[in-house]
Amino acid sequence: MTVNDDSFTNWKNREETAEAMIPIIGKLHRERDVTVLLHSRSLVNKSVVSILKTHRFARQIAGEELSVTETMPFLRALTTLDLGPSQIDIGMLAATHKADDQGLSVEEFTAQAVAGATGSNKIERREGRDVVLYGFGRIGRLVARLLIEKAGSGNGLRLRAIVVRGGGEQDIVKRASLLRRDSIHGQFQGTITVDEANSTIVANGNAIRVIYANDPSEVDYTAYGIKNAILIDNTGKWRDRAGLSLHLRPGIDKVVLTAPGKGDVPNIVHGVNHDTVKPDERILSCASCTTNAIVPPLKAMDDEYGVLRGHVETVHSFTNDQNLLDNYHKSERRGRSAPLNMVITETGAASAVAKALPDLKARITGSSIRVPVPDVSIAILNLQLAREASREEVLDYLRDVSLTSPLRRQIDFISAPDAVSSDFIGSRHASIVDAGALKVEGDNAILYLWYDNEFGYSCQVIRVVQHASGVEYPTFPAPAA
């Protein structure tokens, strides 16, 4: 048998194993509210090739490829346990078992590692929480996709309604079409039908009522059977407490803003300060995409090295508030053609750091340049550290943070030498450390952080909503503190 034959046989064997994983992952998700992860990447509703690629990607961060033959025994072990709602990372199970010196079998080790989700420790399934989207633009449609994807057994978040201004004939058909197809993020994964008579979009079995209103005061959500809901405002029209409080109508319990909040509105970056949200807080902000990109790595660097000062330069994709061609705009430079120019603009991300990281004493400044790409941005974080470090030390530290720390859902890591912006479309992390571009000299470190400013940010929004609604389930094995 030739090397080529060996390689192909190996591929077919791994393909067969991945095929066997799919029904197990699906059953755990539907029947027990268990989301199976691989190094923080969900394997729910993934294809055979996607599962294999996710395993292979582990080589980029862990240094060696992870095989489905290594993780499958842990997945099978999960099916023998009395699991409650949780997120379980089989990549972490395989890695920690390999490093464990207790001599436990896969079954014994798995039972020990996920003990917090079994038996008397498991949490009960919670009643589904209604969610309303106010606005249906770029972020609104991606958040809708994520909510539909995560509907699972029906015991989590349930997208019940979308509120928009009336757009004329066949408005709902056009909005459904925008949800179905996206020039950047591709086709919707599933089926979408439209019930025009009842003003409803049905996506993967989820009936979503489209409510037409010009102002929050026009809507009584209880009239649509909606109760105790979380409303996600992705219009950015109201950003202070007084404005966002207009959404607190019958049927709405909390409001989450997908833009930086003003005044005393808490700006939450999941993974960093989401645990500071008070149970009785009814109005929250998810800050900006750039704030979400820089705050987690900034916290990680401050925790380990101390940060005395910093500057962030964001090279940001153009957005809907810019013009396609030169035209009037209330902001001078943003009036110039977005697809044809690099445009210097302002960013509030640096000043927003203080809200998310109040214990950080360092002064952080920032500026931004909009560039002619439709999605994915990069933040260049230039830090003066409290102590000297080497490039290898910082790389090893950030790689470990991306794999095992409480920030592993926020910070990703890539060592591919030819990575470019389009490679990160669809990334679910708040930011991705580019290992090849990292620079460290003495007490100065420069981090290059990619981020999908649309989808990665939308994932952070969902995490905040899950936490605020009480349906954010614990992850096992627990990340290192």
Side-chain angles (χ1 to χ4, degrees), residues 14-155:
R14 287 187 291 132
E15 195 175 45
E16 184 179 5
T17 302
E19 285 175 352
M21 283 180 156
I22 292 173
I24 300 174
I25 294 167
K27 189 172 183 180
L28 285 170
H29 188 56
R30 286 191 307 275
E31 296 184 2
R32 305 192 198 181
D33 268 0
V34 173
T35 300
V36 177
L37 310 172
L38 187 91
H39 287 315
S40 300
R41 290 167 168 79
S42 174
L43 297 182
V44 176
N45 292 329
K46 294 297 188 290
S47 67
V48 168
V49 171
S50 181
I51 290 173
L52 291 173
K53 286 180 69 175
T54 303
H55 278 74
R56 183 169 177 76
F57 185 79
R59 185 176 66 175
Q60 294 283 349
I61 46 180
E64 59 183 15
E65 186 173 342
L66 186 63
S67 172
V68 287
T69 59
E70 295 177 77
T71 57
M72 182 57 146
F74 295 94
L75 184 59
R76 287 204 174 103
L78 293 177
T79 65
T80 67
L81 302 174
D82 179 26
L83 288 168
S86 54
Q87 300 186 102
I88 299 178
D89 194 319
I90 58 175
M92 283 296 296
L93 282 174
T96 51
H97 179 253
K98 187 181 292 185
D100 186 65
D101 58 4
Q102 299 178 78
L104 300 176
S105 68
V106 166
E107 292 74 20
E108 291 168 335
F109 182 83
T110 301
Q112 184 184 89
V114 303
T118 61
S120 61
N121 293 323
K122 70 179 183 181
I123 59 177
E124 295 302 317
R125 288 189 182 188
R126 301 184 177 101
E127 182 182 352
R129 189 70 176 268
D130 290 353
V131 178
V132 172
L133 290 177
Y134 200 97
F136 205 47
R138 296 298 303 155
I139 299 301
R141 293 194 295 274
L142 291 178
V143 168
R145 286 187 174 201
L146 287 164
L147 287 168
I148 295 162
E149 171 195 302
K150 294 178 182 295
S153 63
N155 290 284

Side-chain angles (χ1 to χ4, degrees), residues 1-21:
M1 184 176 284
T2 67
V3 172
N4 285 341
D5 289 336
D6 284 342
S7 296
F8 187 66
T9 300
N10 179 263
W11 168 262
K12 299 302 287 184
N13 289 338
R14 287 187 291 132
E15 195 175 45
E16 184 179 5
T17 302
E19 285 175 352
M21 283 180 156

Side-chain angles (χ1 to χ4, degrees), residues 57-269:
F57 185 79
R59 185 176 66 175
Q60 294 283 349
I61 46 180
E64 59 183 15
E65 186 173 342
L66 186 63
S67 172
V68 287
T69 59
E70 295 177 77
T71 57
M72 182 57 146
F74 295 94
L75 184 59
R76 287 204 174 103
L78 293 177
T79 65
T80 67
L81 302 174
D82 179 26
L83 288 168
S86 54
Q87 300 186 102
I88 299 178
D89 194 319
I90 58 175
M92 283 296 296
L93 282 174
T96 51
H97 179 253
K98 187 181 292 185
D100 186 65
D101 58 4
Q102 299 178 78
L104 300 176
S105 68
V106 166
E107 292 74 20
E108 291 168 335
F109 182 83
T110 301
Q112 184 184 89
V114 303
T118 61
S120 61
N121 293 323
K122 70 179 183 181
I123 59 177
E124 295 302 317
R125 288 189 182 188
R126 301 184 177 101
E127 182 182 352
R129 189 70 176 268
D130 290 353
V131 178
V132 172
L133 290 177
Y134 200 97
F136 205 47
R138 296 298 303 155
I139 299 301
R141 293 194 295 274
L142 291 178
V143 168
R145 286 187 174 201
L146 287 164
L147 287 168
I148 295 162
E149 171 195 302
K150 294 178 182 295
S153 63
N155 290 284
L157 301 173
R158 302 180 303 194
L159 177 56
R160 296 292 308 281
I162 297 162
V163 184
V164 293
R165 292 192 298 270
E169 188 178 352
Q170 287 202 309
D171 179 271
I172 190 171
V173 173
K174 293 172 183 176
R175 294 186 189 278
S177 181
L178 285 169
L179 179 62
R180 184 180 291 114
R181 288 177 286 271
D182 190 283
S183 300
I184 296 169
H185 301 282
Q187 297 276 344
F188 174 80
Q189 296 300 304
T191 63
I192 293 175
T193 57
V194 177
D195 181 353
E196 285 191 84
N198 292 300
S199 193
T200 299
I201 296 172
V202 182
N204 290 357
N206 296 271
I208 307 160
R209 183 65 182 258
V210 179
I211 301 170
Y212 293 99
N214 294 314
D215 187 84
S217 64
E218 298 177 11
V219 190
D220 178 350
Y221 295 95
T222 59
Y224 302 94
I226 295 168
K227 60 181 181 179
N228 196 37
I230 293 184
L231 182 144
I232 304 173
D233 182 329
N234 55 89
T235 67
K237 183 176 180 180
W238 303 277
R239 292 171 58 185
D240 60 12
R241 187 171 295 275
L244 293 168
S245 293
L246 297 173
H247 289 303
L248 295 174
R249 302 281 299 154
I252 302 299
D253 178 56
K254 295 179 186 289
V255 178
V256 173
L257 170 66
T258 63
K262 294 183 177 180
D264 67 342
V265 175
N267 281 256
I268 304 302
V269 174

